[in-house]
Amino acid sequence: MNAFDFLTQDRVREPGTGITMMLDKGIGPRMLMDLLEISGEYIDLAKFGWCTSAVYDREIVKRKVESYLSYDVVPYPGGTLFEIAYTHNKLDRFLNEADKIGFGAIEISDGSVDISLEEREKVIREVKDNGFMVITEVGKKDPKEDSKFTPTERVKLVNHDVELGADKVLIEAREGGKGIGIYDNNGNVKGDDVQIFADNTDIKNIIWEAPQKNQQVYLILKFGSNVNLGNIPPEEITALETMRRGLRGDTLGKVDL
Amino acid sequence: MNAFDFLTQDRVREPGTGITMMLDKGIGPRMLMDLLEISGEYIDLAKFGWCTSAVYDREIVKRKVESYLSYDVVPYPGGTLFEIAYTHNKLDRFLNEADKIGFGAIEISDGSVDISLEEREKVIREVKDNGFMVITEVGKKDPKEDSKFTPTERVKLVNHDVELGADKVLIEAREGGKGIGIYDNNGNVKGDDVQIFADNTDIKNIIWEAPQKNQQVYLILKFGSNVNLGNIPPEEITALETMRRGLRGDTLGKVDL
Amino acid sequence: MNAFDFLTQDRVREPGTGITMMLDKGIGPRMLMDLLEISGEYIDLAKFGWCTSAVYDREIVKRKVESYLSYDVVPYPGGTLFEIAYTHNKLDRFLNEADKIGFGAIEISDGSVDISLEEREKVIREVKDNGFMVITEVGKKDPKEDSKFTPTERVKLVNHDVELGADKVLIEAREGGKGIGIYDNNGNVKGDDVQIFADNTDIKNIIWEAPQKNQQVYLILKFGSNVNLGNIPPEEITALETMRRGLRGDTLGKVDL
């Protein structure tokens, strides 16, 4: 039972909506348990950012993965690690090790490498056939490269990936959320770009990387409390949940539950 | 005994001065104990920001409240939760539950709702009669709404609340400290506004929300090491204490103890 | 054994290179153990920022120092504490206490006080004779004071200190990394200034304070994965290690190991 439960309402979530994906960039095993105890129910996916999972002792990674799983959080390694495995022709071994460690999803991205549409299709199928949840990502790590894509091209890729079986598609924003994807150099949301997504794809398929508070507020006010959001820092998990529920000034009286 | 105690001086504090109010936006129970062990003596008040205390299991909230109390820190729920209780005509139940959980203060704010001066007076009295420390807040959550108030109007409200029995009055700055209250859009202090407060009210009654370092430095240099400061992030508690005591470059040789 | 070790390479480090210095500004004793367990092997030096070590119970400082030492991290008190000891003619007692607590290095700075070159020389020798690793710092805490120094003057001081026996020389950037030393007011690296260092001193002697990610990326891309970097926040230790190894988009395929 929550404190002050007579003042709040739970979120009612349809499957696949209201997802919160946390960015784990090196939280220690005990701090993780502490975080999960207080706010684990508000985390759905946990990304071990880029290749961070590859610079730790395997036993610590496993311990953290088990902690996540015990709170029904699906952990997965970052897209850059997939890209390295793919580039080095070690995709099989990568998937095998990810499975052994307990990761439940794989992110398929081309943020730093080039992968043809044909290859992308093959990889999506292979990852899916191996029993993983498939999360693809649309966007480039280098802002200059990323800015070459029009919103229409991005939407097209979202729809392409969903058609091939991707469970969710991430819109790249990196850890910083500035000058990339749907955000301008100050981290403000480019509303017209977001509208192009809204008009041309099923928003439920998307997880918006939204590391900054103003971005989370914008997307909640536009798409409702159950918009899928990602790259949330661990210390913002609770704050995000309160904003989804209209329990913070920014969204108070402005969301339906 | 502190390390290197032959190089430092303690702060001498008159009652009601030198207050540090920390903003707790979801710190886990074990991290909290860890923080209190190393810097608990430098925290006087701990605010469970906005409605965060209402999205946790009641037992965890109680455990955290007990941890705070064991270090003589007065914990209290954020103003937005009060506003929801007030709006839903559940103030009695809210105060009752807050008391049962162990909260020692109540913040009375109108950041997101409208409360007439007459009602404000009634609420202050009711909260006080229930044995809580009364902390009122001056300011609006929405920067546009907030900017409608002149410094003179703010000072008037401070004096009004103090007269009615408020123990302290917070000057709203939110978690970010930008474009609100005494801070401009870049988070710099509007010195002329602060001077209007200095000239027209007893500064000891005020707790300045000052989440950013430059704001803390400004207020310490202007009002001395024992100025009351709030919305301090947990990881800045120690840094603030060193600045209050002239133990950091920014204030070294510039404060009297 | 690390997870996914078939996808990564270790860094090969010559002695005195590849140093990561972390800024500890008040992390609790249990969080510290947690951090060290997951990423302790990527930390070489830990600075208790400015005078933070002097506002804690001596036993907690000792406990933290022992934790660092057990992971082969050399802890040391911040330069401002040295400056206070020096100004109050308590250098002997300061060094004695630092030694008793277990600190392995001393930072000799003049960020907030003036120390003549002659005195600087005497102090370096004294600290060295007491068996400490000597880390000097070049730069002033006050941006206005700091901006009076040309890059050429800074390089001269670096070479001066090294000649006198300093083990490493820090280039001041404070916790923020803006408008100071080699960084402009937005935190961007002043490339021409850095080049003057590169042309006139042995870069291995320098530890660049580089609290921000873009600064770390710049210096890694310019000087290689084993450039010495300091003032790294605890939560960025893992991220920095991945960037040093080319395991993050920013440096992927751009560093030699």
Side-chain angles (χ1 to χ4, degrees):
Chain A
M1 197 192 71
N2 281 357
F4 301 108
D5 63 342
F6 52 90
L7 295 176
T8 66
Q9 263 186 286
D10 278 350
R11 276 198 283 153
V12 179
R13 294 169 58 176
E14 279 178 67
T17 72
I19 290 173
T20 293
M21 179 267 272
M22 187 180 88
L23 180 65
D24 176 340
K25 57 177 193 171
I27 191 171
R30 274 160 293 196
M31 270 182 65
L32 176 58
M33 278 308 293
D34 204 40
L35 177 77
L36 289 168
E37 187 182 348
I38 196 161
S39 53
E41 63 179 308
Y42 304 130
I43 311 170
D44 300 282
L45 294 164
K47 178 187 334 195
F48 287 64
W50 52 104
C51 303
T52 53
S53 61
V55 298
Y56 295 133
D57 189 87
R58 195 174 184 274
E59 287 312 306
I60 292 184
V61 178
K62 274 190 81 168
R63 207 166 120 204
K64 285 181 60 175
V65 162
E66 279 157 24
S67 297
Y68 279 122
L69 294 172
S70 73
Y71 277 84
D72 289 326
V73 179
V74 177
Y76 70 93
T80 304
L81 193 62
F82 156 79
E83 294 178 38
I84 289 176
Y86 173 82
T87 311
H88 289 71
N89 283 314
K90 294 184 177 167
L91 189 55
D92 283 355
R93 202 165 163 193
F94 169 68
L95 296 179
N96 191 12
E97 170 79 341
D99 182 52
K100 273 192 197 145
I101 290 174
F103 287 116
I106 294 291
E107 181 176 321
I108 299 169
S109 59
D110 58 354
S112 305
V113 303
D114 289 322
I115 302 180
S116 69
L117 272 188
E118 203 182 358
E119 280 294 310
R120 191 177 180 105
E121 177 171 347
K122 252 175 65 182
V123 172
I124 291 175
R125 291 200 203 282
E126 181 172 350
V127 173
K128 220 175 163 56
D129 287 348
N130 274 271
F132 291 101
M133 174 181 181
V134 173
I135 302 171
T136 63
E137 187 174 57
V138 171
K140 291 288 184 186
K141 298 288 179 200
D142 182 337
K144 273 181 218 148
E145 289 300 310
D146 188 72
S147 68
K148 290 178 187 163
F149 291 83
T150 65
T152 308
E153 287 170 312
R154 289 176 210 264
V155 170
K156 226 168 141 180
L157 200 48
V158 170
N159 290 334
H160 167 268
D161 287 357
V162 170
E163 215 165 284
L164 291 178
D167 295 287
K168 293 290 166 195
V169 185
L170 285 167
I171 307 301
E172 170 77 89
R174 305 205 66 188
E175 186 193 352
K178 290 187 178 180
I180 191 160
I182 58 168
Y183 308 119
D184 70 17
N185 288 333
N186 297 313
N188 294 315
V189 181
K190 296 195 257 182
D192 290 348
D193 286 21
V194 171
Q195 191 56 46
I196 291 171
F197 283 87
D199 291 340
N200 295 288
T201 192
D202 184 350
I203 288 302
K204 283 180 201 159
N205 294 320
I206 287 177
I207 300 176
W208 307 91
E209 292 189 346
Q212 298 194 20
K213 184 192 154 190
N214 66 302
Q215 301 165 351
Q216 298 156 19
V217 171
Y218 182 98
L219 292 163
I220 290 170
L221 293 181
K222 178 152 185 81
F223 295 116
S225 62
N226 284 325
V227 63
N228 299 321
L229 298 173
N231 281 19
I232 309 302
E235 64 273 18
E236 301 297 333
I237 291 294
T238 298
L240 174 58
E241 182 63 22
T242 58
M243 293 195 294
R244 286 183 182 281
R245 294 210 213 166
L247 295 174
R248 191 174 188 181
D250 311 84
T251 59
L252 185 65
K254 297 175 184 166
V255 287
D256 294 318
L257 289 174
Chain B
M1 198 191 70
N2 282 357
F4 302 107
D5 63 341
F6 51 91
L7 295 175
T8 66
Q9 263 185 286
D10 277 351
R11 276 197 284 153
V12 179
R13 293 168 60 175
E14 279 179 67
T17 73
I19 291 172
T20 293
M21 178 267 272
M22 187 179 88
L23 180 65
D24 176 339
K25 57 178 192 170
I27 191 172
R30 274 159 295 196
M31 270 183 64
L32 175 58
M33 277 309 291
D34 204 39
L35 178 77
L36 289 169
E37 187 182 349
I38 197 160
S39 52
E41 63 180 309
Y42 304 131
I43 310 169
D44 301 282
L45 295 164
K47 178 186 337 196
F48 286 65
W50 53 105
C51 304
T52 53
S53 61
V55 297
Y56 295 133
D57 189 88
R58 194 173 183 274
E59 288 312 305
I60 293 185
V61 177
K62 273 190 82 169
R63 208 166 119 203
K64 285 182 60 176
V65 162
E66 279 157 23
S67 297
Y68 279 122
L69 293 173
S70 72
Y71 278 84
D72 289 327
V73 179
V74 177
Y76 70 93
T80 305
L81 193 61
F82 155 79
E83 293 178 38
I84 289 176
Y86 173 81
T87 311
H88 289 71
N89 282 315
K90 292 182 177 170
L91 189 54
D92 283 355
R93 202 166 163 192
F94 168 67
L95 295 179
N96 192 10
E97 170 79 340
D99 182 53
K100 272 193 198 145
I101 290 174
F103 287 117
I106 294 292
E107 180 177 321
I108 300 169
S109 60
D110 58 354
S112 304
V113 302
D114 289 321
I115 302 181
S116 71
L117 272 186
E118 203 181 357
E119 280 293 310
R120 192 177 178 107
E121 177 171 344
K122 252 174 67 184
V123 172
I124 291 175
R125 290 198 203 283
E126 181 171 351
V127 173
K128 218 172 166 57
D129 288 348
N130 275 270
F132 291 101
M133 175 180 181
V134 173
I135 302 172
T136 63
E137 188 174 57
V138 170
K140 290 289 183 184
K141 299 287 179 199
D142 182 336
K144 271 181 220 149
E145 289 300 309
D146 188 72
S147 68
K148 290 179 187 164
F149 290 83
T150 65
T152 307
E153 286 171 312
R154 290 176 210 264
V155 171
K156 226 168 141 180
L157 200 47
V158 171
N159 291 334
H160 167 268
D161 287 357
V162 170
E163 216 165 283
L164 291 179
D167 295 287
K168 294 289 166 196
V169 184
L170 285 167
I171 307 302
E172 170 78 88
R174 306 205 65 187
E175 187 192 351
K178 290 187 177 178
I180 190 161
I182 59 167
Y183 307 118
D184 69 18
N185 288 333
N186 296 312
N188 294 314
V189 181
K190 296 194 256 183
D192 291 348
D193 286 21
V194 171
Q195 191 55 47
I196 292 171
F197 283 88
D199 291 341
N200 296 288
T201 192
D202 184 350
I203 288 302
K204 284 180 201 159
N205 294 321
I206 288 177
I207 300 176
W208 307 91
E209 292 190 345
Q212 298 195 19
K213 184 191 155 190
N214 67 303
Q215 300 165 351
Q216 297 157 17
V217 171
Y218 181 99
L219 292 164
I220 290 170
L221 293 181
K222 178 152 186 84
F223 295 117
S225 62
N226 283 325
V227 64
N228 299 320
L229 298 173
N231 281 20
I232 309 300
E235 64 273 19
E236 302 297 334
I237 292 294
T238 298
L240 174 59
E241 183 63 23
T242 60
M243 293 195 293
R244 286 183 182 281
R245 294 209 214 166
L247 296 173
R248 190 174 189 180
D250 311 84
T251 60
L252 185 65
K254 297 176 183 165
V255 287
D256 295 316
L257 288 173
Chain C
M1 197 192 70
N2 282 357
F4 302 106
D5 64 342
F6 52 91
L7 294 176
T8 66
Q9 262 186 285
D10 277 351
R11 276 197 284 153
V12 179
R13 292 168 58 175
E14 280 179 66
T17 73
I19 290 172
T20 293
M21 179 267 272
M22 185 179 89
L23 180 65
D24 176 341
K25 59 178 192 169
I27 190 172
R30 274 160 294 195
M31 270 184 64
L32 176 58
M33 278 310 292
D34 204 39
L35 178 76
L36 289 168
E37 187 182 350
I38 197 161
S39 53
E41 63 180 308
Y42 304 130
I43 311 170
D44 301 282
L45 294 165
K47 180 190 330 198
F48 286 65
W50 54 103
C51 304
T52 53
S53 61
V55 298
Y56 295 133
D57 188 88
R58 194 174 184 274
E59 289 312 305
I60 292 185
V61 178
K62 274 190 81 168
R63 207 166 120 204
K64 284 181 60 176
V65 162
E66 279 157 23
S67 297
Y68 279 122
L69 293 172
S70 72
Y71 277 84
D72 291 325
V73 179
V74 177
Y76 70 94
T80 304
L81 193 62
F82 155 79
E83 294 178 38
I84 290 176
Y86 173 81
T87 311
H88 289 69
N89 283 313
K90 293 184 177 167
L91 189 55
D92 283 355
R93 202 166 163 192
F94 169 67
L95 295 179
N96 191 13
E97 169 79 341
D99 182 52
K100 272 192 198 146
I101 290 174
F103 286 116
I106 294 291
E107 181 176 320
I108 300 169
S109 60
D110 58 354
S112 304
V113 303
D114 289 322
I115 302 180
S116 70
L117 272 188
E118 203 181 358
E119 280 294 309
R120 191 176 178 106
E121 177 171 346
K122 252 175 65 183
V123 172
I124 290 176
R125 291 199 201 283
E126 182 171 350
V127 172
K128 220 172 164 56
D129 288 346
N130 274 270
F132 291 101
M133 174 180 181
V134 172
I135 302 172
T136 63
E137 187 174 58
V138 171
K140 290 289 185 186
K141 298 287 179 201
D142 182 336
K144 273 181 218 148
E145 289 300 310
D146 188 72
S147 68
K148 290 179 187 163
F149 290 84
T150 65
T152 309
E153 287 171 310
R154 289 177 210 264
V155 171
K156 226 168 140 179
L157 200 47
V158 170
N159 290 334
H160 167 268
D161 287 357
V162 170
E163 215 165 283
L164 292 178
D167 295 287
K168 293 291 167 196
V169 185
L170 285 167
I171 307 301
E172 170 77 87
R174 305 205 66 188
E175 187 192 351
K178 290 189 178 179
I180 190 160
I182 58 168
Y183 307 119
D184 70 17
N185 288 334
N186 297 313
N188 295 314
V189 181
K190 297 194 256 183
D192 291 348
D193 286 20
V194 172
Q195 192 55 47
I196 292 172
F197 282 87
D199 291 341
N200 296 287
T201 193
D202 184 349
I203 288 302
K204 284 180 201 160
N205 294 320
I206 287 177
I207 300 175
W208 307 91
E209 292 190 346
Q212 297 196 20
K213 184 192 154 190
N214 66 304
Q215 300 165 351
Q216 298 157 17
V217 170
Y218 182 98
L219 292 163
I220 290 170
L221 293 180
K222 178 151 185 84
F223 295 116
S225 63
N226 283 325
V227 64
N228 298 321
L229 298 173
N231 281 19
I232 308 301
E235 64 274 19
E236 301 297 334
I237 291 294
T238 298
L240 175 58
E241 182 63 23
T242 59
M243 293 195 293
R244 286 183 182 282
R245 296 209 213 165
L247 295 173
R248 191 174 188 180
D250 311 85
T251 60
L252 185 65
K254 296 177 184 166
V255 287
D256 294 317
L257 287 175

